Amino acid sequence: PRLQPTPALSFATRYLGCAIGINVTASHNPSKYNGYKVYGPDGCQIASEIADAITKAIEGVDMFDDVRTMPFEDAQAAGFATYIQEEVLDAFLDAVYDQHVEQEQSDLRVVYTPLNGTGLECVTRILERIGVTDIHVVEEQSKPDGNFPTCPYPNPEIREALECGIALCEQVHPDLLLATDPDADRVGIAVKDGDDYQLLSGNEVGVLLLDFICRMRKENGTLPEHPVAVTTIVSTSLVDPVAAKYGVDMRRVLTGFKYIGGVIADLEQQDEKERFVFGFEESYGYLAGTHARDKDAVVASMLICQMARYYRTLGKNLYQAMQDIYREFGFHHNRTVSYAFEGSAGAETMASIMTGFRSQPLSEIAGYKVEQFLDYQQGVGGLPSANVLEFDLEKGNKVIVRPSGTEPKVKVYLFTVGESASEAECLADVLSSAMAVFMK
C-alpha cells in the first residue's frame, strides 16, 4: 500500500511464490528513462530472451485501443488485485538482519538521505534493529518525489546529490553520511576527512565490504568452506588480492546484477547457495545473502554502518580504512567516463564507435601497449555474448568500452595502478584524454 525498495520486490516474488514481479522505475533518472524491470520466479531479473519476448508483446499492443483499465478499488473488490501484507516486508527485514556480522551495539551517528525515494522506512528500521538510533534524516529529501526538487540528478555516485546531506553533516557531525538512490537498490557514502567530506566510490565500498564481511565471518566461524564472491568485468581488480587473502573464489560476470543473481541461482541448484558471501557492481550496487537476487541498499546500509562502527573502535573512519587497503595491495584507481549520444543519430554514432574499435583494434593507448584485446561479443571465459570491448594494457592497466543498457551513452571504464594515489589518478587522466578522441 506504499512505495517500497526494489529489492523488496525481488524478495517478495520468491516469498509469495509468484511467477513474475514487475517494477516500473527510472531510479535516479528523469521520468523519460522509466524502465520496465521484470523478475522471474527465482527473484532474478529475467534473461535476455524472455525480455525480448516481452518487448515484442508490448510492441504488438496499441496503447490507445488495446489497453483495458478499471478503477483499482473495483479490481480489489473483484479479486483481481490485492495489496501485499505487512508480513512480507517484515520477512524481508528479518532476512536482511540475518546478514549482520558483528555484535557491537554501541551507537553510531548517521546522516541519512533517501534522495526523495523509497528507502526511508526499510533503512531506518534495519539500522534501529542493529542499535543505530542516532539517525538524522535529510528532511527535504525524506519523502518520495519523482520530480526530485533538491537536485537534478539524485544519483548517490555524484557529490551534487549529497550536498543537502553534507550540509546537515556540518551541523550534526556524524560518523557517516549514507545516501540510497530513489529505488533503494544502491547506496553511496561519505565521511569527514580533514575539513571536507570524502565520497567513497562503488569500487572502494565494494572492496571494504568484502574485506569486512570475510574478516568478521572468519572471526565468528561463519565463513563457509570454499566461499564465493561475485563482481563484474568492469569492477576494480583490487578485489582479487583481497578475495585471495580470505580464500574466496572471486568470480566475474557481465555488467548487470542479473548475472550476479544468476551465480546465486546456479549455486542454489547445486545446493550450495550458502557459499555465496558477497556480490557487488562498481555502480554502487551490493548484496550480501541470498534473500534477494538483485542489489540491495537495505542490507548494504546495515553492513556499512556495522563496518563504520567496527573501524571506529580502531580509531579510524571508512576513508582511513580504505587507505590502509591501498597501502597493503597497491593504489588502484577506477574511473568511468560517459559520452552521451541522444536520438536515432546518436544510436548510429554509438554503433559506429563500437564497429570502429572492432574493425581496427587499438595496439596502444596513450603510449601503453595493448597486451590483450577481448571482444565479449565473441564470448569470453564462458560468459554470454555482450557488446563490450576490453583493452588490457601493460603494467596492470586496462580500458573497457561498452554502450549503456539504460541510457543513450557509451561508457569508458579506466583501470590504473600506481605507487601512489596521485600517480594512478594522473594515468587515468592520460587514458581518458586518449579515449576521448574516439568518442565523436
Side-chain angles (χ1 to χ4, degrees), residues 22-284:
I22 299 170
N23 184 22
V24 178
T25 176
S27 184
H28 58 275
N29 293 302
S31 59
K32 68 179 180 179
Y33 291 113
N34 259 340
Y36 186 83
K37 180 178 284 190
V38 183
Y39 294 111
D42 59 357
C44 293
Q45 292 186 47
I46 54 172
S48 298
E49 313 86 72
I50 303 174
D52 291 343
I54 292 175
T55 300
K56 186 176 180 179
I58 291 173
E59 290 171 347
V61 172
D62 186 296
M63 68 180 74
F64 296 104
D65 294 332
D66 296 343
V67 176
R68 293 174 295 168
T69 66
M70 66 188 304
F72 186 73
E73 294 76 11
D74 293 351
Q76 284 182 288
F80 297 151
T82 183
Y83 282 121
I84 288 175
Q85 300 300 307
E86 286 299 307
E87 70 171 83
V88 180
L89 194 62
D90 292 340
F92 168 67
L93 291 170
D94 287 344
V96 169
Y97 180 74
D98 286 344
Q99 297 306 310
H100 73 280
V101 293
E102 49 92 66
Q103 300 300 321
E104 173 67 43
Q105 288 294 311
S106 64
D107 210 352
L108 187 80
R109 177 166 292 182
V110 176
V111 165
Y112 169 58
T113 172
L115 294 176
N116 294 119
T118 61
L120 181 64
E121 179 182 2
C122 285
V123 171
T124 55
R125 281 178 63 179
I126 202 64
L127 294 190
E128 289 169 358
R129 192 160 174 179
I130 62 167
V132 177
T133 57
D134 192 359
I135 306 170
H136 298 260
V137 177
V138 178
E139 182 59 34
E140 60 266 46
Q141 295 178 330
S142 63
K143 301 293 190 299
D145 187 337
N147 294 313
F148 306 125
T150 60
C151 60
Y153 198 57
N155 184 345
E157 299 180 44
I158 61 175
R159 188 181 181 96
E160 185 180 24
L162 272 60
E163 289 294 354
C164 289
I166 291 173
L168 182 56
C169 287
E170 295 291 4
Q171 299 176 35
V172 302
H173 308 293
D175 298 291
L176 176 70
L177 168 60
L178 199 66
T180 54
D181 76 331
D183 56 353
D185 58 4
R186 300 186 306 126
V187 58
I189 68 172
V191 294
K192 190 74 175 282
D193 177 55
D195 295 330
D196 198 10
Y197 280 81
Q198 289 284 346
L199 277 64
L200 274 69
S201 73
N203 277 315
E204 289 176 324
V205 174
V207 168
L208 280 167
L209 281 171
L210 176 64
D211 179 75
F212 173 69
I213 291 168
C214 291
R215 181 195 306 266
M216 300 307 294
R217 292 191 63 175
K218 187 174 181 179
E219 286 183 7
N220 62 31
T222 62
L223 188 66
E225 287 190 37
H226 313 299
V228 173
V230 192
T231 191
T232 71
I233 59 174
V234 298
S235 297
T236 178
S237 56
L238 183 54
V239 294
D240 298 317
V242 172
K245 177 180 178 180
Y246 297 100
V248 173
D249 176 9
M250 191 75 233
R251 302 184 185 182
R252 289 186 182 268
V253 295
L254 297 178
T255 304
F257 222 90
K258 64 183 176 182
Y259 297 111
I260 297 177
V263 173
I264 299 174
D266 290 343
L267 290 171
E268 189 170 40
Q269 287 183 353
Q270 301 162 29
D271 200 26
E272 295 181 343
K273 72 176 183 179
E274 72 281 350
R275 291 178 59 197
F276 176 79
V277 293
F278 185 59
F280 83 95
E281 291 182 317
E282 46 76 38
S283 54
Y284 293 55

Side-chain angles (χ1 to χ4, degrees), residues 335-339 341 353-354 356-358 360-368 370 373 389-393 398-402 410-416 427-440:
R335 184 182 304 174
T336 304
V337 185
S338 296
Y339 299 88
F341 300 92
I353 289 171
M354 300 301 289
F357 282 132
R358 286 191 170 94
Q360 294 181 305
L362 302 175
S363 59
E364 61 87 23
I365 301 176
Y368 285 81
V370 176
F373 170 66
L389 302 174
E390 177 177 325
F391 302 89
D392 295 338
L393 310 178
K398 182 166 58 178
V399 175
I400 291 180
V401 183
R402 76 172 184 93
V410 171
K411 292 191 173 185
V412 177
Y413 300 83
L414 308 171
F415 306 77
T416 59
L427 177 52
D429 290 338
V430 172
L431 293 179
S432 178
S433 297
M435 294 303 296
V437 174
F438 301 98
M439 300 296 148
K440 298 178 181 177

Side-chain angles (χ1 to χ4, degrees), residues 316-335:
K316 303 174 184 178
N317 62 31
L318 294 181
Y319 175 78
Q320 294 163 337
M322 189 65 227
Q323 300 311 303
D324 288 345
I325 291 178
Y326 282 136
R327 282 187 284 269
E328 182 176 359
F329 297 109
F331 289 87
H332 292 62
H333 182 74
N334 303 88
R335 184 182 304 174

